[in-house]
């Protein structure tokens, strides 16, 4: 039997304020190429032997993630706070333990409410395509639905 070396520790202990031992809190995106406001990212699980990655994102009050779509899917579990999410042509209010499923090529965006942050776990493929941003025409189509227009304008849900 051969010993294998693992770079991933068996436990990353929970710390106060939705932090985990040994996990860095980083900016949401590597580049400032996409619009977003007040979002941080912690990569909780990422390993060449895993086909997926588990990340924790935190959105500050009235902040929002990038409005985007892509081939890869997301499974998101809200951990803390409250806010709203756009999934395709629907807007949902979200609270802790709600599960949000985002299918391929579905427009999506998360927004924190004005009174507190929104924190959520996000499961994705480790190898994934680049997110696409909406064109002017895409935004016109989305905004034709009043609920989506209110969501995109940051109106309280
Ligand atoms: Mn996405």
């Amino acid at each position: 039997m051969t010993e294998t070396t693992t770079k991933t520790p068996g436990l990353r202990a929970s710390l106060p304020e939705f932090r985990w031992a040994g996990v860095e809190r980083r900016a949401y995106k590597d580049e400032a190429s996409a619009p977003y406001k007040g979002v941080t990212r912690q990569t909780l699980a990422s390993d060449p032997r895993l086909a997926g990655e588990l990340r924790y994102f935190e959105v500050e009050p009235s902040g929002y993630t990038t409005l985007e779509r892509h081939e890869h899917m997301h499974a998101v579990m809200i951990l803390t706070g409250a806010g709203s999410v756009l999934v395709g042509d629907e807007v949902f209010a979200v609270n802790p333990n709600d599960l949000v499923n985002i299918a391929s090529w579905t427009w999506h965006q998360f927004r924190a409410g004005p009174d507190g942050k929104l924190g959520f776990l996000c499961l994705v493929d480790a190898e994934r395509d680049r997110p696409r941003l909406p064109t002017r025409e895409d935004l016109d189509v989305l905004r034709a639905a009043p609920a989506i227009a209110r969501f995109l304008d940051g109106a309280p849900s």
Side-chain angles (χ1 to χ4, degrees):
M1 197 164 97
T2 51
E3 290 286 313
T4 54
T5 53
T6 50
K7 72 172 191 161
T8 305
L11 175 69
R12 289 204 187 277
S14 169
L15 302 174
E17 301 286 329
F18 292 90
R19 302 297 307 271
W20 287 267
V23 177
E24 276 186 73
R25 185 157 57 189
R26 298 171 186 273
Y28 167 50
K29 304 255 178 184
D30 293 335
E31 310 150 41
S33 57
Y36 66 92
K37 183 182 165 197
V39 187
T40 59
R41 169 173 60 99
Q42 295 178 70
T43 301
L44 303 180
S46 177
D47 187 291
R49 296 161 295 183
L50 267 180
E53 287 185 356
L54 185 63
R55 302 91 49 85
Y56 174 76
F57 293 94
E58 206 165 85
V59 186
E60 70 181 23
S62 299
Y64 49 86
T65 62
T66 303
L67 174 61
E68 62 181 28
R69 66 176 181 169
H70 36 65
E71 183 170 27
H72 64 271
M73 298 173 66
H74 294 306
V76 170
M77 179 160 284
I78 308 299
L79 282 196
T80 187
S84 53
V85 56
L86 169 69
V87 183
D89 58 4
E90 294 184 280
V91 175
F92 303 106
V94 288
N95 291 287
N97 303 324
D98 284 342
L99 179 64
V100 180
N101 290 301
I102 297 165
S104 289
W105 297 116
T106 303
W107 292 115
H108 56 283
Q109 185 176 48
F110 291 82
R111 286 181 174 268
D115 302 324
K117 66 187 181 185
L118 177 68
F120 55 88
L121 294 172
C122 178
L123 176 67
V124 284
D125 290 341
E127 281 190 34
R128 53 190 183 270
D129 60 314
R130 276 185 77 84
R132 317 296 164 86
L133 302 180
T135 63
R136 170 68 62 146
E137 290 73 28
D138 292 327
L139 285 173
D140 287 346
V141 169
L142 286 164
R143 283 184 171 280
I148 295 178
R150 284 195 298 274
F151 172 88
L152 294 175
D153 291 335
S157 53

